[in-house]
Amino acid sequence: MPELLSRLQSALADRYRLDREVGAGGMATVYLAQDIRHDRRVAVKVLRPELAAVIGAERFLAEIKLTANLQHPHILPLFDSGEAVAGHESRVAGDELATRDSGPATYLFYVMPFVEGETLRDRLTREKQLPVADAVRIATEVAGALDYAHRHGVVHRDIKPENILLHDGQALVADFGIALAASKAGGSRMTETGMSLGTPHYMSPEQAMGEREITARSDVYALGAVLYEMLTGDPPFTGSTAQAVVARVVTESPRSLTTQRHTIPPHVEAAVLTALEKLPADRFASAAEFAEALGDKRYSTGAPTTAMPAAAGAAVGARAAGRRPSVVTLAAVAVAVIATAAALWGWLRPKPAPTVQRYSVMLRPNEGLRPSGVAGNLAISPDGNRIAYIGVADGGTRLWLREHDKLRPLPIAGTENGLSPFFSHDGNQVAFTIAGRSLRVAPLNGGPPVTLSDSINSSGGDWGTDGYIYIELEDGIGRIKATGGPIEKLFTMSDAKHEIGAEYPNVMPDGKGIVFRRRLTGQAPNEFEIMEMAVPHGTPHLVARGVYARYVNSGHLLVVTGDGKLLAMPFDPKKRAVTGPSVAVMDGLLRSGPFEVNFAVSATGTLAYSSGGTAAATTAWWVGRDGLAVPMDTTWKFDGDINSVALSPDGRALAVTLARGATADIWVKQLPSGPFSRVTFGDTVHLRAAWAGDGRSLVYINDLGSGAGLPMMARANGTGAPQGLLRTQMQFAQAVPTADGKWLVLRRSFAEPGAGDIYGLKTGDTTPVPLLTTGAREMSPTVSPDGRWLAYVSNESGRDEVYVRPFPDVASAKWQVSVSGGTVPMWARNGRELFYLDGKGEMTSLPIVPGPGFAVGQPKVLFSASPFVIGGNAGVYDVSPDGQRFVMVRPATVAGESELVVVQNWFEELRARVGK
């Protein structure tokens, strides 16, 4: 956390100036720093507080002095060590150095040179296998360092690729003796920290068996394992768990190297296999002997039988055949069997249940979570180490990546205006959409995003282990290979079934089925349907009701309900069937109405979420024509999200749609600092309020569950009962009264045939008449104050542009008034300007030339609207009566910090709540 870095900096200020975190391991967090006294860059390694508490400062610093005297060209030297006293943090944040206690804390640290280059692990990750000559040279250099240290009484105990640095091609062994110092100082209490000294893949059998006295031959074994990996691409023993690896270390022999890579010289194989012998006495006596064998083409006698040529093996077997085992030999075998059994019991006995750990990740204002109105703002990699989310950026939004071992998130290159992120199976790529139309994939290890398709209509997707990306389409669900290609249709919505949405597909682990959300005409959020379907051509079946669903590897289907509860139900992913009762495990997951859900669970059981319901995610601001913004009322406090705004004709009141969980209501705020009162009530959604011309009533949409419904009218002071304005089978998503009160202009729902058609209703009539019923999609209708002109948005040219027609005789003429994209037109109250947002999201003023006909001047960009919520087609902003200010909605993440909650080992808690 920034606070912790600041406190450590204060404690070390007389010697070092900390810059940033550059790495974290099992025992320490590494900071790049400047050595003030010597004006050089160094790496400051700070031990974990829990480890420091077990070891104790005095004993650790006494033991670490041994390593300070090691001076060798292939050993990274130790410059300094000590203890720093800093105040504890009050918040736990991932792997960062923080505790819940208050008061001073002692942090043990040691200082080494900062080396430009990479670790051997980095090179192995990139190249997998090294050239034989390079691998032997690196191993020989490391052996030289080890031999020097061993002759000075220091055993490394943790040789692995991560601790071998490559500087100008030369090997440098890092953290020399740190593990030894920690072991001697901490003793058996090291196990209490949950940290191991040594890594299972490179751990000698005696280390794995818990021997107290570890000799130089243990380092020889570890170096042999590292060289084995450099040559073959994998350590000598692998497994799905640490216990499985250790079991193989103590019971199995490594595979021959030459059968995996025929170019490995026989003497190199013989030397490696000698170094990997189970019994320390059968290995090289020193690292120098290992290095000598690697350079001796005649070396073979030290190789074990499994590595010998067949003839040599037969000769050895013939000599041994005539001898009977001695009592000493039998005793040795018995001891080895007992020791092996003890080791296996220690490593393979049932482990205690992992501890559930919760912590908060605070995001700064310039990197915070940005509301989007849809689910899937948040994604977590399968291993739980990376979180991707929709965040703020200069001039708009972009995707951000927060890695568990980093202090701060970083923006993902090329993801500007990205939505709905989700990870690849290996966690190294993130797929996302642009405006719900373009599907792209961004590599996280460098390189620009790749576009897979520009013909989707998606608010979310999923990346299957079968190599397909499952995505929402205009009329159903499809999939596309992650490498690109045609889209394969999996499910098509049916008008006969009144299906209006098939969304948020989630693919089962075997790739043979999916679950997704289906919406039908007239359904409320609590009635949305979670469907299962076999792929590629199954029939959907209802399994639950809710607004969002994800299957997790604990064996449960997680479903978010319309009121924000998270239900967990036992689920068979192969049969795609619920197998037990559901249990509510969390609440408050909906942020902005029934569609925005921010939670994700990794395959390994890490939960990440951003809950709503505790503070407003959006606030209302006054914005001048120069773009300067101030809060409308700093004392205005409410619980919910502002979704739309509308100023009264006299500018003295503001009507807003306030969303809370699955409901939304119309409220009125008296300006500048008057009361905030509720106008509508009920367990449904009321949307997009617009003022009647007299300023005493409000027209709004009573939502039927699909973002559209029927127009209603209510008194702005909250008295009286709301009135329905017409009876029809059609659904409307917007209703706008004209200033003279003679007309109500209506826009049809996008979820019906005739999506976006514009209708008109005369005062006193009950049947709307069609005004614009084209093959294109129209939206955002608004009539000029004098009632002569209708401005609206249409995609007839292939993208959204602003058009103007005479009103109500709309068929007589048409003018396109925007030229590079345009949305949400709004008339100035004096009729002399038309405002709209251009294709770059900039607030634009279009002068209206006075006269009998319609004519416009040159458009003028006023300011960028990207810091505000502009992702809608009605109620996004309004204009003051004098035309000098705008009311706009701003995300709270622009004004302050936001928070992510991370729960590690959450499956343990989930199983306890729901049952195994």
Side-chain angles (χ1 to χ4, degrees):
M1 296 177 64
E3 296 84 1
L4 174 63
L5 185 60
S6 174
R7 295 182 186 207
L8 284 173
Q9 174 61 77
S10 177
L12 298 172
D14 59 331
R15 284 180 284 179
Y16 304 103
R17 183 171 63 252
L18 300 185
D19 183 3
R20 65 183 188 277
E21 179 184 324
V22 293
M27 291 188 294
T29 298
V30 188
Y31 296 90
L32 176 62
Q34 190 74 12
D35 182 344
I36 298 173
R37 186 177 303 169
H38 302 99
D39 192 26
R40 60 185 176 184
R41 289 201 299 174
V42 296
V44 177
K45 298 193 174 186
V46 184
L47 258 63
R48 301 291 190 186
E50 61 269 29
L51 177 59
V54 169
I55 294 173
E58 250 183 78
R59 299 201 62 186
F60 177 79
L61 295 175
E63 294 291 342
I64 206 172
K65 286 180 182 178
L66 289 173
T67 67
N69 294 313
L70 297 178
Q71 302 294 324
H72 189 274
H74 294 297
I75 293 178
L76 190 68
L78 179 70
F79 282 166
D80 192 10
S81 62
E83 56 183 307
V85 179
H88 277 189
E89 297 294 317
S90 59
R91 186 185 304 277
V92 178
D95 288 334
E96 297 164 20
L97 304 176
T99 69
R100 291 186 181 276
D101 302 327
S102 58
T106 298
Y107 295 105
L108 306 180
F109 71 93
Y110 51 101
V111 182
M112 294 182 171
F114 179 78
V115 177
E116 296 283 354
E118 62 181 356
T119 66
L120 177 56
R121 170 59 64 208
D122 295 331
R123 185 172 176 186
L124 285 172
T125 300
R126 184 176 67 253
E127 300 180 19
K128 189 68 173 175
Q129 293 168 287
L130 272 56
V132 174
D134 279 5
V136 171
R137 177 185 55 78
I138 292 170
T140 302
E141 292 172 351
V142 173
L146 290 173
D147 181 66
Y148 172 87
H150 295 160
R151 287 186 281 110
H152 286 77
V154 178
V155 179
H156 192 290
R157 302 169 72 100
D158 195 19
I159 290 294
K160 57 186 177 182
E162 289 81 356
N163 281 337
I164 299 173
L165 307 181
L166 302 178
H167 177 58
D168 286 340
Q170 302 297 306
L172 288 172
V173 182
D175 281 358
F176 223 107
I178 300 303
L180 173 62
S183 177
K184 284 189 175 182
S188 62
R189 292 180 298 160
M190 279 295 299
T191 57
E192 299 171 12
T193 68
M195 300 177 183
S196 62
L197 297 178
T199 303
H201 296 89
Y202 314 98
M203 193 181 290
S204 66
E206 60 268 29
Q207 270 186 292
M209 293 166 66
E211 293 282 352
R212 284 185 172 275
E213 293 299 322
I214 300 300
T215 69
R217 297 184 191 231
S218 185
D219 281 351
V220 170
Y221 180 98
L223 179 56
V226 170
L227 179 52
Y228 189 106
E229 182 176 1
M230 285 193 283
L231 293 169
T232 67
D234 291 296
F237 303 105
T238 58
S240 58
T241 65
Q243 294 95 323
V245 174
V246 171
R248 299 186 66 186
V249 166
V250 299
T251 62
E252 297 182 12
S253 297
R255 294 172 57 203
S256 168
L257 287 84
T258 54
T259 59
Q260 302 177 67
R261 185 177 179 185
H262 70 88
T263 56
I264 298 174
H267 74 281
V268 172
E269 180 187 54
V272 172
L273 293 176
T274 300
L276 294 175
E277 282 288 355
K278 298 285 185 249
L279 293 178
D282 289 341
R283 298 177 208 140
F284 297 108
S286 68
E289 287 187 13
F290 187 14
E292 183 179 353
L294 289 173
D296 184 1
K297 294 183 179 180
R298 298 169 300 173
Y299 180 79
S300 64
T301 56
T305 304
T306 56
M308 290 182 183
V316 172
R319 289 195 299 268
R323 295 197 299 264
R324 298 182 62 185
S326 67
V327 174
V328 174
T329 302
L330 290 174
V333 171
V335 170
V337 169
I338 294 171
T340 299
L344 285 174
W345 168 246
W347 283 93
L348 300 180
R349 68 179 183 267
K351 293 195 306 180
T355 302
V356 178
Q357 297 180 334
R358 281 179 168 80
Y359 59 87
S360 296
V361 177
M362 301 306 298
L363 304 174
R364 293 171 176 171
N366 63 344
E367 60 193 28
L369 192 70
R370 179 73 177 261
S372 71
V374 298
N377 288 343
L378 191 66
I380 189 167
S381 61
D383 63 6
N385 291 333
R386 288 171 156 176
I387 296 174
Y389 64 92
I390 303 172
V392 297
D394 293 337
T397 64
R398 73 189 312 169
L399 299 185
W400 289 72
L401 183 70
R402 208 284 187 177
E403 301 191 75
H404 81 106
D405 58 349
K406 299 296 189 296
L407 286 173
R408 301 253 57 90
L410 294 173
I412 302 176
T415 61
E416 290 77 8
N417 300 315
L419 298 172
S420 306
F422 50 96
F423 280 92
S424 61
H425 184 58
D426 62 7
N428 291 326
Q429 300 178 82
V430 167
F432 62 99
T433 67
I434 298 290
R437 305 297 300 181
S438 177
L439 174 63
R440 302 182 185 181
V441 172
L444 299 180
N445 298 324
V450 175
T451 299
L452 298 185
S453 174
D454 283 321
S455 59
I456 63 170
N457 179 30
S458 179
S459 53
D462 195 16
W463 196 315
T465 58
D466 56 359
Y468 281 94
I469 291 177
Y470 292 73
I471 203 74
E472 177 187 349
L473 305 176
E474 185 81 39
D475 59 348
I477 290 175
R479 67 180 181 181
I480 183 174
K481 288 185 176 180
T483 54
I487 293 178
E488 178 186 2
K489 183 69 70 68
L490 302 177
F491 169 71
T492 302
M493 291 187 293
S494 168
D495 290 338
K497 295 180 180 179
H498 305 290
E499 292 170 330
I500 59 174
E503 302 143 339
Y504 305 118
N506 175 216
V507 60
M508 295 296 100
D510 61 5
K512 296 181 179 179
I514 59 173
V515 295
F516 62 93
R517 180 180 79 184
R518 182 176 72 168
R519 291 187 292 132
L520 303 179
T521 301
Q523 281 184 325
N526 272 322
E527 298 172 328
F528 293 168
E529 300 172 348
I530 305 301
M531 312 295 291
E532 64 81 16
M533 188 186 82
V535 295
H537 302 299
T539 300
H541 298 95
L542 178 69
V543 294
R545 293 190 182 273
V547 298
Y548 189 69
R550 283 294 183 266
Y551 173 78
V552 295
N553 282 355
S554 61
H556 299 92
L557 185 68
L558 303 179
V559 177
V560 179
T561 66
D563 55 0
K565 290 183 174 61
L566 181 65
L567 302 182
M569 51 195 72
F571 191 80
D572 186 332
K574 292 185 177 180
K575 297 180 179 178
R576 299 177 304 283
V578 175
T579 60
S582 61
V583 175
V585 296
M586 196 180 300
D587 201 356
L589 281 182
L590 293 180
R591 281 190 63 171
S592 181
F595 296 104
E596 184 165 336
V597 181
N598 295 324
F599 93 96
V601 183
S602 76
T604 55
T606 297
L607 166 70
Y609 67 94
S610 173
S611 63
T614 58
T618 53
T619 52
W621 289 64
W622 284 116
V623 185
R625 294 174 73 97
D626 56 2
L628 293 178
V630 295
M632 181 165 281
D633 182 353
T634 57
T635 65
W636 185 7
K637 306 296 181 184
F638 51 86
D639 180 13
D641 282 293
I642 295 178
N643 276 353
S644 66
V645 294
L647 276 170
S648 62
D650 60 8
R652 296 181 180 179
L654 178 71
V656 303
T657 300
L658 190 66
R660 295 180 296 182
T663 64
D665 285 294
I666 309 301
W667 292 63
V668 172
K669 163 75 171 175
Q670 301 298 321
L671 302 178
S673 56
F676 186 48
S677 56
R678 187 173 177 179
V679 175
T680 63
F681 296 84
D683 296 328
T684 184
V685 175
H686 308 96
L687 300 169
R688 305 184 185 102
W691 289 86
D694 60 8
R696 292 181 293 181
S697 300
L698 291 163
V699 175
Y700 60 91
I701 298 297
N702 183 30
D703 183 24
L704 298 179
S706 59
L710 297 175
M712 306 285 290
M713 177 175 284
R715 294 177 183 174
N717 60 11
T719 62
Q723 301 176 0
L725 297 181
L726 64 117
R727 293 183 178 182
T728 177
Q729 295 298 315
M730 294 185 291
Q731 291 191 43
F732 295 94
Q734 190 177 356
V736 182
T738 59
D740 59 12
K742 296 181 179 180
W743 284 87
L744 186 66
V745 179
L746 304 161
R747 191 259 293 170
R748 288 281 301 277
S749 166
F750 293 154
E752 295 185 316
D757 288 346
I758 296 176
Y759 285 70
L761 181 70
K762 285 186 177 181
T763 301
D765 290 349
T766 58
T767 302
V769 296
L771 297 178
L772 285 174
T773 55
T774 70
R777 182 191 65 180
E778 284 81 27
M779 58 185 179
S780 307
T782 179
V783 178
S784 61
D786 60 9
R788 297 177 59 195
W789 314 108
L790 172 70
Y792 63 98
V793 174
S794 175
N795 66 352
E796 64 182 67
S797 68
R799 67 179 176 186
D800 290 339
E801 299 282 3
V802 178
Y803 297 84
V804 173
R805 291 177 182 256
F807 184 82
D809 184 16
V810 296
S812 60
K814 180 181 70 173
W815 300 269
Q816 180 179 328
V817 297
S818 64
V819 294
S820 59
T823 59
V824 202
M826 183 74 64
W827 295 95
R829 302 298 171 93
N830 60 13
R832 297 175 185 172
E833 285 179 289
L834 180 66
F835 303 101
Y836 63 90
L837 297 172
D838 69 11
K840 297 180 180 180
E842 296 174 320
M843 183 65 71
T844 303
S845 167
L846 183 68
I848 306 300
V849 178
F854 181 78
V856 298
Q858 289 296 318
K860 178 183 179 182
V861 172
L862 301 181
F863 59 86
S864 172
S866 58
F868 306 95
V869 178
I870 57 176
N873 52 62
V876 172
Y877 68 95
D878 205 347
V879 187
S880 63
D882 62 4
Q884 299 304 304
R885 295 190 298 175
F886 301 82
V887 177
M888 305 195 75
V889 176
R890 189 169 184 173
T893 50
V894 175
E897 290 187 333
S898 59
E899 178 186 35
L900 293 178
V901 180
V902 178
V903 186
Q904 293 179 325
N905 301 318
W906 183 64
F907 285 168
E908 299 300 320
E909 180 179 289
L910 180 62
R911 292 188 182 103
R913 294 286 300 276
V914 183
K916 296 182 180 180

